[in-house]
Amino acid sequence: MGATTMAKALNAALADALADDDRVLVFGEDVGRLGGVFRITDGLQARFGDKRCFDTPLAEAGIVGFAVGLAMSGLRPVVEMQFDAFAYPAFEQIASHVAKLRNRTRGALSVPMVIRVPYAGGIGGVEHHCDSSEAYYAHTPGLKVVTPATVADAYSLLREAIADPDPVVFMEPKKLYFSSAEADLPARTEPFGRAVVRRPGRDATLVAYGPAVPVALEAAEAARDEGWDLEVVDVRTIVPFDDATVAASVRRTGRCVVISEAQGFAGVGAEIAARVQERCFHALHAPVLRVSGLDIPYPAPMLEHTHLPGVDRVLDTVARLQWDDQPDPRWVAA
Amino acid sequence: MGATTMAKALNAALADALADDDRVLVFGEDVGRLGGVFRITDGLQARFGDKRCFDTPLAEAGIVGFAVGLAMSGLRPVVEMQFDAFAYPAFEQIASHVAKLRNRTRGALSVPMVIRVPYAGGIGGVEHHCDSSEAYYAHTPGLKVVTPATVADAYSLLREAIADPDPVVFMEPKKLYFSSAEADLPARTEPFGRAVVRRPGRDATLVAYGPAVPVALEAAEAARDEGWDLEVVDVRTIVPFDDATVAASVRRTGRCVVISEAQGFAGVGAEIAARVQERCFHALHAPVLRVSGLDIPYPAPMLEHTHLPGVDRVLDTVARLQWDDQPDPRWVAA
Amino acid sequence: MTTTPQAVRRASPRTRPAAKKAAKAAKAPAPEPATDPSAVLLPQAEPVRLIEADGTPLPARADYPEPPVEALRELYRRMVVGRRFDTQATALTKQGRLAVYPSSRGQEACQVGGVLAVRDTDWVFPTYRESMALVSRGIDPVEVLTLLRGDWHCGYDPTAVHTAPQCTPLATQCVHAAGLAYGETHQGRDTVALVYIGDGATSEGDFHEGVNFAAVFKAPVVYFVQNNKYAISVPLSRQTAAPSLAYKGVGYGVPSEQVDGNDPVAVLAVLTRAVAHARAGHGPFLVEAHTYRMEPHTNADDATRYRDGAEVDTWRDRDPIARLEAYLRARGALDDAAVAAVAEEAEAYAADLRQRMNAQPEVHPLSLFDHVYAEPTPQLVEQREMVRAELAAAAEEDGH
Amino acid sequence: MTTTPQAVRRASPRTRPAAKKAAKAAKAPAPEPATDPSAVLLPQAEPVRLIEADGTPLPARADYPEPPVEALRELYRRMVVGRRFDTQATALTKQGRLAVYPSSRGQEACQVGGVLAVRDTDWVFPTYRESMALVSRGIDPVEVLTLLRGDWHCGYDPTAVHTAPQCTPLATQCVHAAGLAYGETHQGRDTVALVYIGDGATSEGDFHEGVNFAAVFKAPVVYFVQNNKYAISVPLSRQTAAPSLAYKGVGYGVPSEQVDGNDPVAVLAVLTRAVAHARAGHGPFLVEAHTYRMEPHTNADDATRYRDGAEVDTWRDRDPIARLEAYLRARGALDDAAVAAVAEEAEAYAADLRQRMNAQPEVHPLSLFDHVYAEPTPQLVEQREMVRAELAAAAEEDGH
Ligand SMILES: Cc1ncc(C[n+]2csc(CCOP(=O)(O)OP(=O)(O)O)c2C)c(N)n1
Ligand SMILES: Cc1ncc(C[n+]2csc(CCOP(=O)(O)OP(=O)(O)O)c2C)c(N)n1
Ligand SMILES: [Mg+2]
Ligand SMILES: [Mg+2]
């Protein structure tokens, strides 16, 4: 047991997967000698050689399409998209092939692969480096979409993603890369499809994933001062989604706020809110509310804190959960 | 006044826009001599010349990026993506430039353009020709997303889209192209941002858009036999969304079903359901339910009717709106 | 970065020793690589042609030795059967048995030539237009037509027949082939990937990325552009301002050639060399075949809107089957009996197909949930339950 | 479809009459097109070079006449100021005034040469690396650095300075430039678009689609590839197997040239001709400049991980500024006083920038909602209200 970072845990997961399975290949832009711009692939080329970990031409559709071909030949590609918005050139390959090949061929051809996407903001990145793009993938049937919020999950979920028979879009919250925690690697945590209660509470449930999980935990901590005992659920795998854990929590607490860093409109937060009220309607004392990024292009570094859902915005929203059983005045008329 | 089709109305809108404004250019794949695979641009090249309506190389990022440049030079491009899934190669251009250029430049550079996307299924198309891709655009701030369900709206919304100062993704429900209706062209209907009650009713609200609107109307008709008087709201413009009209309807009826043809997970239907319960919680007698396509890749023609939300599925869902004020048994435990 | 002009100018066939070696090796089934990649990048200025449109042989050439006569007889046989298949498929659209069919009539030399140039263990990456190539490769025609009949997407098992699903998103297969071929090499196998692609699709970014990946990773891929002059209605002049599509190779450091795509002998010769080049570890090769799509884009298309009959007629005179037949007859490699036998085989093939396509395929609504993931998600299990209940209710109603 | 080999082989400068004409026209500010597009596609095998690394002039050549000496003095001046700006910007990252800065040190000949080759009314399409080019173009350096300081994305008004926002999504600007240039032509203006792009970015599909669109629509675009040998850490050998990136032009039917990117005289000469070619209506032109990125990718990068100091040292000896200075001094076009004056100007420029960047920029949270659409949607109005309330609450708290 020792303190380590999410970046190191991801690196260890890649190294262990490369060591355990000859079929695993790690490639992308700058993942070789440089070890990736976030150093997630640091040392892998030196240790496993440049046939197992290598740089490619600068072309994301090329990288993902190449991975499709490698998977067809029986290999297990793990590719890195350098930043969220730079995965968009690969969107056709992802939506029309990666997501569909198993289905198109009645299961005869599967293309297990992991597409690693460092995503979201909070690191002062300039434009196009901070998009929250998980909803695009989550809305595309055939993809699994996973996002760790803890160091141990980073290791465990990435190992599981690499071993999974289906393509996994593995969304890595950049701002958590260098957050450190005690973790005993190789760690194995809950499997895909399981959400986890990170903090128990009785008064309301905060549902969060990826970069929003630490915000939820911090807000829950702060809420104690206001007399609220909040439960925090970490979604972990967006697809498949763990309805059971989320609904059980909300049925217990009777109130729910969904927190996501992404712009809200038609995002994963909307899906979670819609599911929760569908499934827990009679247990709810208030509507399921959402806290999300604003519906604007990701702002410049000096303005990002206004955009990002922070503790205050979460607490403001919790305050609107109709504790007095009165309708929200903001929405009586609109 | 005479019967016309949505395809003809769209064609007339393009022709009138070309005639009214020299800056308007129509281009894409096969839009010239062929008049488009759906004949939406039929006759435009003959009438306006091949400088105003022309074919391009076969490259969708190229088409959209070219439109960006043309807009920068002061022109008004209207481009056709041949089918929904074939707009994916342009995703980076759309998400990282079209949607953002006004914002990136503090409004100094705007790129008004219309990206026409024939979308959704119901026409027996083979794979990759039937995707419902509206959520990808609706989730991208900076884009307006519009989808007509009537012949008159097709004309009016397309004219408005071409005149709009912002980029508009104009989603055309393929299966409605050749549905005909009485319409007096040039028609002007409600502006962007206004949903319309297509059928008044007292018992529950069906919210639908694009290809789902006729399904909703048919279901409402059929529901009379079961003793339900259903209201149908046509969303028309997904972005900007008309909260006022939708919420007012649901507050009146107390029940709501959202119908979209797209796969449901993290789609526009989820957004609408989330918004409605946020805004109408105390008026609701039942959770807001969703009817959508299945969360699967669009199926082969012989199986598409199982995938598509039809009248029966809508009625089954309406039946689950807890008319006896009892919780839904399916979701008591899950 | 500094290269002499020779590096990009094609050496004349007369003076290139490698070509001479190739000529000697021509009788072997899998000739040794005929090219020195650093010396040959640009295509020859004129498409390679080995027999005239009327079947008259042209002078033999060292760079592209003529394939063995048995191979040409087999080519002929498959082209005739292939065309009959194609005609039958078009007929099936009229009977409503196929949702849509993109014919490759007129492109028989390319369709079959490609298939004959590779081994069964090689991989073929077809587009929607390659139904003929696929049946030529021996894939069950009913499985080939599954996509177009509409009971499922891909009807065959790609891993069993080493053939990717027919690809509709244009040019995307260019990258898959690079990955597959590189992956095979990585695992010590000498598989070659043959990519079919149309003229229009070369304008897509994925063509660029695919050929470039193959070049950088020296992946054994042959990119085979069937330039049939149209992308649906859009003529070649709207796709490129280059002298020919084969000239794209040099930008990737990939040797290229152009060939008369209606000369079956030349197509097979050029592709055979291209495949040998790739298999020998010299990296990808790009071939452009000049051919023509005799039919509309698909049965649903109206080609009279964008091209005139005179143009089509010109190409009718360059029919690849008649051309090869004339040539083989003149060589004494084909006689009336053999022609009749092939025609009969083709008829039998078509009759069998017709009959098998008459049966309405069984489709199982619940199978929609089977192959989205290896195991359905809880969400899909829920949705499957919903559909199961709907089907049960419908069955009950039908029962009453 | 059938083209003689001459069509793709570059005629020798000695024998090409068009080039002779160009030589005569060289004194005119906007020379007539020097190229016959159908006769010239491939670049010359060696990068064009007009002066040696030590400034010694090479023999004059007819195809690329030397730019007028006043232009070279201006080039020198802007390169010196540009480098000083660049050094200052790097220093500003250390003081925390800039979030990040991608230096173009070593690429001064390209940065400034491009800007001098076009008119103010022409459009420039820069990447994130072109800060130096933009200040050279006369754009306020504080506005140029806005993106990297992080108070907004693009700091200048693109329409006022005919310069697109610095482009980060690689190669996407290639298509914008084709559209802009075609749109200008369509409206009867003779604007040329100059695209800056890196070596790595030529691997992206949008490079392919952009150059091809420009070629098919004969749009007046000059694609200017600064091949600085690295894409972050990835060396050129992982981007291409081609003889050089300039060879990509032929695949689009676009004439191309390669130039020594550290020879300021050659860069200006080649780009001047390329721009003239485009302006004359002959369509796009592709130029590859061989240069070197002296600094890490950005200040945040650690270049020692992937390249050694010896390589960097080699390029230190090819410094473009020293090279031009030596040449101009030898020609008597520059003396100590002039050099000192330019150095002083550069210092003043840097001091002014330093001082202006010291001020913390004002940012307005509510402005986040101003430019998403021409008018905010009801959804944004609601969200703006929320933020306004949050700000009011925070201000109140601060007040107590
Ligand atoms: C990415 C993409 N864009 C558009 C289409 C629609 N489409 C199908 S075939 C076709 C023309 C293709 O022409 P070409 O590549 O020349 O092949 P051919 O059909 O002539 O064999 C088009 C535009 C598509 N399938 N994929
Ligand atoms: C589409 C896309 N993918 C990846 C990146 C991340 N990225 C930024 S710069 C860069 C290297 C670019 O190299 P090159 O084109 O040679 O230009 P240079 O930086 O050397 O000027 C990369 C990979 C990006 N900005 N856009
Ligand atoms: Mg074609
Ligand atoms: Mg570079």
Side-chain angles (χ1 to χ4, degrees):
Chain A
M1 197 84 171
T4 187
T5 62
M6 185 180 282
K8 290 219 175 83
L10 293 167
N11 181 266
L14 292 172
D16 292 352
L18 281 160
D20 284 2
D21 186 347
D22 273 354
R23 298 171 306 166
V24 174
L25 302 185
V26 171
F27 57 95
E29 294 157 10
D30 301 292
V31 301
R33 278 179 88 168
L34 184 63
V37 294
F38 292 108
R39 302 292 184 268
I40 307 301
T41 59
D42 194 23
L44 299 181
Q45 184 173 82
R47 179 164 161 207
F48 297 99
D50 66 1
K51 298 276 173 242
R52 304 287 308 285
C53 175
F54 53 87
D55 293 326
T56 64
L58 214 173
E60 293 77 11
I63 293 169
V64 172
F66 200 67
V68 167
L70 289 168
M72 288 171 69
S73 86
L75 297 166
R76 289 276 181 158
V78 180
V79 304
E80 176 173 306
M81 302 278 100
Q82 200 160 80
F83 286 85
D84 30 69
F86 307 145
Y88 299 156
F91 195 69
E92 180 188 34
Q93 286 287 352
I94 295 174
S96 291
H97 288 297
V98 174
K100 290 185 173 170
L101 267 164
R102 174 189 292 282
N103 185 260
R104 292 168 66 201
T105 61
R106 283 199 184 98
L109 195 65
S110 60
V111 286
M113 70 171 70
V114 179
I115 302 175
R116 294 182 39 243
V117 184
Y119 83 115
I123 60 159
V126 297
E127 55 169 2
H128 305 297
H129 289 76
C130 305
D131 279 16
S132 284
S133 46
E134 68 276 13
Y136 300 130
Y137 309 114
H139 186 57
T140 305
L143 303 174
K144 291 182 177 167
V145 183
V146 175
T147 183
T150 72
V151 172
D153 262 4
Y155 180 92
S156 183
L157 291 173
L158 183 51
R159 288 303 302 272
E160 189 175 351
I162 297 171
D164 198 90
D166 288 304
V168 178
V169 182
F170 194 85
M171 309 289 303
E172 303 174 0
K174 290 182 210 89
K175 77 164 188 198
L176 303 185
Y177 270 149
F178 304 107
S179 65
S180 85
E182 296 291 312
D184 214 359
L185 301 185
R188 284 305 180 132
T189 58
E190 293 77 4
F192 279 14
R194 288 274 297 279
V196 166
V197 175
R198 293 275 175 228
R199 180 191 199 284
R202 279 170 317 181
D203 296 336
T205 302
L206 305 182
V207 182
Y209 60 87
V213 172
V215 178
L217 287 167
E218 214 188 310
E221 214 43 52
R224 287 213 296 215
D225 299 347
E226 325 247 344
W228 292 313
D229 182 17
L230 304 184
E231 178 147 312
V232 174
V233 178
D234 176 357
V235 169
R236 300 174 74 249
T237 66
I238 298 173
V239 180
F241 187 81
D242 183 356
D243 280 310
T245 300
V246 172
S249 170
V250 177
R251 289 215 183 87
R252 255 192 326 267
T253 62
R255 288 182 168 82
C256 179
V257 173
V258 182
I259 313 173
S260 66
E261 182 179 315
Q263 64 276 20
F265 199 90
V268 170
E271 177 62 36
I272 299 175
R275 302 185 84 75
V276 167
Q277 63 85 33
E278 275 163 8
R279 278 146 217 267
C280 311
F281 185 73
H282 289 271
L284 284 170
H285 301 301
V288 180
L289 297 183
R290 292 179 284 166
V291 180
S292 70
L294 307 170
D295 286 308
I296 62 173
Y298 199 90
M302 290 189 190
L303 285 160
E304 71 176 347
H305 66 279
T306 304
H307 170 71
L308 294 172
V311 170
D312 285 345
R313 198 169 290 163
V314 173
L315 292 178
D316 286 353
T317 308
V318 169
R320 287 173 48 226
L321 285 172
Q322 306 175 16
W323 301 95
D324 52 2
D325 283 317
Q326 290 304 304
D328 191 329
R330 291 184 13 169
W331 286 340
V332 166
Chain B
M1 195 83 172
T4 187
T5 63
M6 185 180 281
K8 290 219 176 83
L10 294 167
N11 179 267
L14 293 172
D16 292 352
L18 282 161
D20 284 2
D21 186 347
D22 272 354
R23 298 171 308 166
V24 174
L25 302 184
V26 171
F27 57 95
E29 294 157 9
D30 300 292
V31 300
R33 275 180 88 170
L34 184 63
V37 294
F38 291 108
R39 304 290 185 270
I40 306 302
T41 58
D42 194 23
L44 299 181
Q45 184 174 81
R47 178 163 162 207
F48 297 99
D50 65 1
K51 298 276 172 242
R52 304 287 309 285
C53 174
F54 53 87
D55 293 326
T56 65
L58 214 173
E60 292 78 9
I63 293 169
V64 172
F66 200 68
V68 167
L70 289 168
M72 288 171 70
S73 85
L75 297 167
R76 289 278 181 157
V78 180
V79 304
E80 176 173 306
M81 302 278 100
Q82 200 160 80
F83 286 85
D84 29 70
F86 307 144
Y88 298 157
F91 195 69
E92 181 187 35
Q93 286 286 353
I94 296 174
S96 290
H97 288 298
V98 175
K100 290 183 172 170
L101 267 164
R102 173 189 292 282
N103 185 260
R104 293 168 65 201
T105 61
R106 281 197 184 98
L109 195 63
S110 61
V111 286
M113 69 171 69
V114 179
I115 302 175
R116 295 181 38 242
V117 184
Y119 84 116
I123 59 158
V126 296
E127 54 170 5
H128 305 297
H129 288 76
C130 305
D131 280 15
S132 285
S133 47
E134 69 276 12
Y136 300 130
Y137 308 113
H139 185 57
T140 306
L143 302 175
K144 291 182 178 168
V145 183
V146 176
T147 183
T150 71
V151 172
D153 262 5
Y155 180 93
S156 183
L157 291 174
L158 183 51
R159 290 302 303 270
E160 189 175 350
I162 298 171
D164 198 90
D166 287 306
V168 178
V169 182
F170 194 86
M171 309 290 302
E172 303 174 359
K174 291 182 209 85
K175 77 164 189 199
L176 304 185
Y177 269 150
F178 304 108
S179 65
S180 85
E182 296 290 313
D184 214 359
L185 302 185
R188 283 307 180 132
T189 59
E190 293 77 4
F192 278 15
R194 287 275 296 280
V196 166
V197 175
R198 293 275 176 228
R199 181 190 197 283
R202 279 169 318 177
D203 296 335
T205 302
L206 305 181
V207 182
Y209 60 87
V213 172
V215 177
L217 288 168
E218 212 187 312
E221 212 46 51
R224 286 212 296 215
D225 300 346
E226 326 247 343
W228 292 313
D229 181 18
L230 304 184
E231 178 146 313
V232 175
V233 178
D234 176 357
V235 169
R236 302 174 73 248
T237 68
I238 298 173
V239 180
F241 187 80
D242 183 355
D243 280 310
T245 300
V246 172
S249 170
V250 177
R251 289 214 184 87
R252 255 192 328 266
T253 62
R255 289 181 168 84
C256 178
V257 173
V258 182
I259 314 173
S260 65
E261 183 180 315
Q263 64 275 21
F265 199 90
V268 170
E271 177 62 36
I272 299 174
R275 302 185 85 75
V276 167
Q277 63 87 33
E278 276 163 7
R279 280 146 216 266
C280 310
F281 184 73
H282 288 271
L284 284 171
H285 302 299
V288 179
L289 298 181
R290 291 179 284 165
V291 180
S292 70
L294 307 170
D295 285 309
I296 63 172
Y298 199 90
M302 289 189 191
L303 285 159
E304 71 176 348
H305 67 279
T306 305
H307 170 71
L308 294 172
V311 169
D312 286 346
R313 199 168 289 161
V314 173
L315 293 178
D316 286 354
T317 308
V318 170
R320 288 173 50 226
L321 285 173
Q322 307 175 16
W323 300 96
D324 53 2
D325 281 318
Q326 290 304 304
D328 191 329
R330 291 179 20 165
W331 286 340
V332 166
Chain C
M1 247 349 66
T2 58
T3 316
T4 59
Q6 284 70 36
V8 293
R9 282 201 205 117
R10 171 173 292 276
S12 127
R14 278 188 317 284
T15 58
R16 200 173 53 235
K20 288 219 182 97
K21 245 208 351 261
K24 281 208 203 99
K27 258 122 238 163
E32 281 305 293
T35 52
D36 167 3
S38 78
V40 181
L41 284 176
L42 283 181
Q44 301 189 42
E46 293 290 335
V48 174
R49 185 173 292 136
L50 296 181
I51 60 174
E52 304 263 30
D54 64 3
T56 315
L58 289 161
R61 41 196 293 173
D63 54 346
Y64 291 109
E66 197 183 296
V69 71
E70 312 79 63
L72 296 179
R73 282 172 55 108
E74 182 60 14
L75 184 56
Y76 172 77
R77 187 183 73 82
R78 295 202 204 184
M79 285 168 66
V80 171
V81 176
R83 176 173 295 178
R84 187 63 191 85
F85 159 82
D86 189 82
T87 319
Q88 183 59 56
T90 296
L92 286 166
T93 63
K94 293 191 183 116
Q95 294 148 30
R97 290 278 165 215
L98 288 183
V100 63
Y101 181 72
S103 165
S104 52
R105 188 184 186 93
Q107 303 178 210
E108 288 85 357
C110 299
Q111 293 284 309
V112 180
V115 163
L116 280 188
V118 295
R119 302 179 185 161
D120 282 353
T121 49
D122 290 334
W123 272 74
V124 170
F125 287 79
T127 78
Y128 50 86
R129 194 165 305 288
E130 271 66 64
S131 293
M132 192 193 294
L134 299 198
V135 302
S136 252
R137 192 159 162 77
I139 306 179
D140 182 330
V142 174
E143 293 182 0
V144 169
L145 293 176
T146 298
L147 171 70
L148 306 164
R149 176 161 68 171
D151 44 318
W152 200 268
H153 306 298
C154 180
Y156 48 90
D157 174 352
T159 60
V161 294
H162 300 111
T163 303
Q166 285 142 291
C167 190
T168 298
L170 293 167
T172 52
Q173 78 277 19
C174 292
V175 214
H176 306 162
L180 180 285
Y182 179 75
E184 293 285 298
T185 307
H186 178 87
Q187 291 169 91
R189 298 189 284 266
D190 71 347
T191 315
V192 168
L194 172 68
V195 175
Y196 283 90
I197 179 172
D199 47 314
T202 64
S203 298
E204 291 276 7
D206 276 17
F207 169 80
H208 178 74
E209 300 190 13
V211 179
N212 194 45
F213 265 68
V216 165
F217 290 105
K218 268 188 171 272
V221 188
V222 174
Y223 290 98
F224 182 36
V225 181
Q226 285 175 92
N227 174 358
N228 64 7
K229 307 295 178 291
Y230 288 91
I232 307 186
S233 71
V234 181
L236 187 66
S237 58
R238 263 296 140 110
Q239 301 299 344
T240 187
S244 104
L245 296 171
Y247 284 79
K248 293 198 187 290
V250 64
Y252 309 107
V254 171
S256 307
E257 193 57 276
Q258 36 180 340
V259 61
D260 180 334
N262 284 22
D263 174 349
V265 182
V267 168
L268 185 56
V270 169
L271 285 178
T272 298
R273 185 169 127 186
V275 169
H277 168 98
R279 198 178 320 275
H282 298 314
F285 199 103
L286 174 67
V287 175
E288 178 195 25
H290 299 276
T291 182
Y292 196 77
R293 195 195 74 206
M294 296 301 291
E295 296 287 318
H297 174 66
T298 69
N299 57 297
D301 177 37
D302 174 8
T304 62
R305 282 184 162 245
Y306 53 83
R307 67 184 189 188
D308 58 25
E311 182 184 287
V312 183
D313 288 341
T314 316
W315 284 89
R316 220 181 295 282
D317 297 339
R318 302 180 197 160
D319 183 71
I321 296 186
R323 187 164 176 174
L324 182 56
E325 183 181 327
Y327 172 72
L328 288 176
R329 278 184 185 268
R331 268 189 69 169
L334 202 66
D335 58 16
D336 285 352
V339 168
V342 170
E344 202 173 311
E345 182 192 342
E347 278 313 318
Y349 190 93
D352 178 63
L353 174 62
R354 209 161 45 231
Q355 189 236 313
R356 290 174 61 208
M357 292 292 287
N358 260 337
Q360 187 64 14
E362 272 192 63
V363 291
H364 304 283
L366 291 178
S367 71
L368 285 176
F369 302 96
D370 289 350
H371 308 297
V372 184
Y373 302 95
E375 296 293 332
T377 61
Q379 287 70 42
L380 285 175
V381 170
E382 239 176 45
Q383 293 174 25
R384 187 169 58 189
E385 272 316 300
M386 175 187 74
V387 172
R388 195 195 301 282
E390 288 174 357
L391 294 170
E396 199 165 305
E397 243 173 66
D398 284 358
H400 292 294
Chain D
M1 244 350 63
T2 58
T3 317
T4 60
Q6 285 70 35
V8 293
R9 280 198 208 120
R10 171 173 291 279
S12 124
R14 278 189 317 284
T15 58
R16 202 172 52 235
K20 289 218 182 96
K21 242 203 1 254
K24 280 206 204 101
K27 256 124 237 161
E32 280 305 292
T35 52
D36 167 3
S38 79
V40 181
L41 285 176
L42 284 181
Q44 302 188 43
E46 294 289 337
V48 174
R49 184 174 293 134
L50 297 180
I51 61 174
E52 303 262 30
D54 64 3
T56 316
L58 289 160
R61 42 195 293 173
D63 54 347
Y64 292 108
E66 196 183 295
V69 72
E70 312 80 61
L72 298 178
R73 282 172 56 108
E74 181 61 13
L75 184 56
Y76 171 77
R77 187 182 73 81
R78 296 203 203 183
M79 285 168 66
V80 172
V81 177
R83 177 173 292 178
R84 186 64 191 84
F85 160 82
D86 189 82
T87 319
Q88 184 57 58
T90 296
L92 287 167
T93 64
K94 297 195 179 110
Q95 295 149 29
R97 290 278 164 216
L98 288 183
V100 64
Y101 181 72
S103 165
S104 53
R105 188 184 186 92
Q107 303 177 210
E108 289 85 356
C110 299
Q111 293 285 310
V112 181
V115 163
L116 280 188
V118 296
R119 304 179 184 160
D120 283 353
T121 49
D122 290 333
W123 272 74
V124 170
F125 287 78
T127 78
Y128 50 86
R129 195 166 303 289
E130 270 66 64
S131 293
M132 192 194 293
L134 300 197
V135 301
S136 252
R137 193 160 161 77
I139 306 179
D140 182 330
V142 174
E143 292 182 0
V144 169
L145 294 174
T146 297
L147 171 71
L148 306 163
R149 175 159 72 170
D151 46 318
W152 200 266
H153 306 298
C154 181
Y156 48 89
D157 174 351
T159 59
V161 294
H162 300 111
T163 304
Q166 284 142 294
C167 189
T168 297
L170 294 166
T172 52
Q173 79 276 20
C174 292
V175 212
H176 305 163
L180 181 284
Y182 179 75
E184 292 286 298
T185 308
H186 178 88
Q187 292 168 89
R189 299 189 283 266
D190 71 347
T191 315
V192 169
L194 172 68
V195 175
Y196 283 90
I197 177 171
D199 47 313
T202 64
S203 297
E204 291 277 8
D206 277 17
F207 170 79
H208 179 74
E209 300 189 11
V211 180
N212 195 45
F213 265 68
V216 166
F217 289 106
K218 267 187 171 271
V221 188
V222 174
Y223 290 98
F224 183 36
V225 181
Q226 284 175 92
N227 174 358
N228 64 7
K229 306 295 176 291
Y230 288 92
I232 307 187
S233 71
V234 181
L236 187 65
S237 58
R238 263 295 139 109
Q239 301 299 344
T240 188
S244 105
L245 296 171
Y247 284 81
K248 293 197 187 291
V250 63
Y252 309 106
V254 171
S256 307
E257 194 56 277
Q258 33 180 343
V259 62
D260 180 335
N262 284 23
D263 175 350
V265 183
V267 168
L268 186 56
V270 169
L271 285 178
T272 299
R273 186 170 125 186
V275 169
H277 168 96
R279 199 178 320 275
H282 298 314
F285 200 103
L286 174 67
V287 175
E288 178 195 24
H290 299 275
T291 182
Y292 196 78
R293 195 195 74 205
M294 297 300 291
E295 296 288 317
H297 174 65
T298 69
N299 57 297
D301 177 38
D302 174 7
T304 63
R305 282 185 161 244
Y306 54 82
R307 67 184 189 187
D308 59 25
E311 181 184 287
V312 183
D313 287 341
T314 317
W315 283 90
R316 220 179 296 282
D317 298 339
R318 302 182 197 158
D319 184 71
I321 296 185
R323 187 165 178 173
L324 183 56
E325 183 180 328
Y327 172 72
L328 288 176
R329 277 183 187 271
R331 266 190 72 168
L334 203 64
D335 58 16
D336 286 351
V339 168
V342 169
E344 201 173 311
E345 181 193 342
E347 278 313 319
Y349 191 93
D352 178 62
L353 174 61
R354 209 161 45 231
Q355 188 237 313
R356 289 175 60 208
M357 292 293 287
N358 262 335
Q360 187 64 18
E362 272 193 63
V363 291
H364 303 284
L366 290 178
S367 71
L368 286 176
F369 301 97
D370 289 349
H371 307 297
V372 184
Y373 301 94
E375 297 292 332
T377 62
Q379 287 70 42
L380 286 175
V381 170
E382 241 176 43
Q383 293 174 25
R384 187 170 58 190
E385 271 317 300
M386 175 186 74
V387 172
R388 195 195 300 282
E390 289 174 357
L391 294 171
E396 201 165 301
E397 244 173 63
D398 284 359
H400 291 294

